[in-house]
Structure formats: structure tokens, C-alpha cells
Amino acid sequence: MKELDGQIALVTGGSRGIGLAIAQELARAGARVAVVARNGEAAEAAAASLEGTGHRGYACDVSESAGVKVTVGKLEEELGPVDILVNNAGITRDNIFIRMKEEEWDEVLAVNLKGAFNMTHALARGMMRRRSGVVLNITSVVGIVGNAGQANYAASKAGLIGFTKSIAKELASRGIRCNAIAPGFITTDMTAELPEAAVEELHSRIPLGRFGDPEDVGGLVRFLAGPAARYITGQVVAVDGGMAI
Ligand code: NAI
């Protein structure tokens, strides 16, 4: 018997990087996973690679509310009601503030913040009816401490923290827990573009002396999604090697 046996989990941006590691951990814990990503083939390939059976991949842009509703309807019909939602899909469009274009601001807010609203809104009513559910939002340490060159991204991630705490308060009486996870620097496509000098400088600012791995985030999601975290809601848990101490 595994702790998430019989549960359905939905992971946005689950086709690669941190989202894929989250999907892998949830599958290992016994959940059946719906992997949602913009690229349907990548989502299906990721779902097929997970441990166990019954996982599915779906193409969906989380920033489009109509498409989210259609996708959620389809996947709940195929897999059953979603017990665990992980809002992980996220993008960066970095620029120093004075040069930041309106589109760069809008795109990042649309995916990182409105995407979480769209998905949670599409699923919350069912969770409320069933009086159980878990919502986990992948924010960032940058949403807590800010970062030069990432005003749009930091604003979206700080917004996710306010969103998490508010819905935690609203939905607790319906048996739904909501928490945020704040990774520091994690080795994925998102951080692959950093120049080597910047990476070395960043390592020197991380007490544990290195970037984290996607599995470090996956393990925390597994814990927060499971019964061992049943009294934890409205929290922001950092997984950052001590960077934000
Ligand atoms: P990644 O770029 O490797 O993967 C992002 C995933 O999101 C991909 O699967 C992509 O298809 C999906 N995605 C992007 N836009 C989407 C949309 N509109 N609709 C549906 N799916 C969409 O990124 P990574 O590094 O795995 O990041 C995952 C999350 O973790 C993001 O929210 C990111 O902000 C956050 N994070 C990452 C950190 C890092 O150091 N890599 C640090 C802190 C937070």
C-alpha cells in the first residue's frame, strides 16, 4: 500500500524539468497522473514514461481559460476526479525593468499566475463537493526576495504566494489544503542558459553550495500531497539549499 494509491494527480508543465520529476514522484507514491503541457506529444510521452499504469498526457495552454475547462472536463471523464493539483507550468521573459516590454509582463503573468487561477478554478468546485483536495503551487524564492531582471517573474511568483494563502483560508473548511513550494535554483532547461560565471557566483551564495535537482522538489511535493502533511496548509516551503535564509 502506497500513500497516494487510488488518487488522481494533475501536474501542469509536467512534460519536463521540475514538473516531470513531480509527476514521477507522485506516480511512485501510487497516484495516477494527468500530465498537462502545451505540447501534447511531449505530455503523452512523459505520462507513458511514469511508473505504474493509467497515466495520461494532455495538450493544454494553462493561460487559456476556455481550453483549461475543456481539458479538465475531458481528463476527469477519462481518469476520474482530480484529488491533487500541482500548478507547476511557468515561464520567464527576463529583462531589466526599464527595457521590459508590456508583452513580456503580460505573458509571464498569464502563464504563471492566471494559469494557476484557471486550473484551480476549474477544479475547486469538485474538490469542495467531495470535501477533499490538495493544491500545490510552484512559486520561487525570487517571489520572496525579488531579483533584478525578473520584475515580471518575481511579481507572478509573489502573486502565487498571496493566492495560495487566500485560497488556503477559503477552502480549509471544505477539507482542501493549499501550499506553495519555493524552489531556489534547480538544474533544468530554465537555468541551463545561465553563463558559467553567473553559476559560480550563485553557488557561492547557496549554503549547500550547489543548485538543486528536480527530484529535490518532487520529494517535497510528494510529502505535501500526502497524508503526513494533513495538518499543513497556507505555507510557503522553500527548497533552495538555504539560499533565502
Ligand atoms: P521548464 O522550462 O523546464 O519547464 C516548464 C514546463 O512548463 C514545461 O513542461 C512547459 O511545457 C510548461 N509550460 C510553459 N508554459 C505553459 C503553458 N502556457 N501551458 C502549459 N504548460 C506550460 O521549467 P522548470 O525549471 O522545470 O520550472 C518549473 C516550475 O518551477 C516553473 O513554474 C518555474 O517558474 C519554477 N521554478 C523553477 C526554478 C529553477 O531553477 N528551474 C526555480 C524556482 C521555480
Side-chain angles (χ1 to χ4, degrees), residues 13 15-16 18 38 60-62 88 139 153 157 184 186 188 191:
S15 61
R16 64 172 199 238
I18 292 173
R38 272 170 310 184
C60 175
D61 180 339
V62 296
N88 164 80
T139 173
Y153 182 76
K157 295 300 189 180
I186 307 292
T188 66
T191 47

Side-chain angles (χ1 to χ4, degrees), residues 157-203:
K157 295 300 189 180
L160 268 182
I161 293 173
F163 173 64
T164 303
K165 292 182 180 179
S166 302
I167 61 170
K169 285 185 172 173
E170 275 192 42
L171 303 179
S173 64
R174 308 300 186 99
I176 301 168
R177 295 187 298 104
C178 312
N179 288 293
I181 289 166
F185 284 92
I186 307 292
T187 307
T188 66
D189 290 350
M190 197 179 264
T191 47
E193 288 153 28
L194 290 168
E196 207 167 306
V199 171
E200 265 174 40
E201 198 272 323
L202 286 166
H203 281 180

Side-chain angles (χ1 to χ4, degrees), residues 65-75:
S65 60
V68 166
K69 282 184 199 136
V70 171
T71 305
V72 164
K74 186 169 174 228
L75 78 83

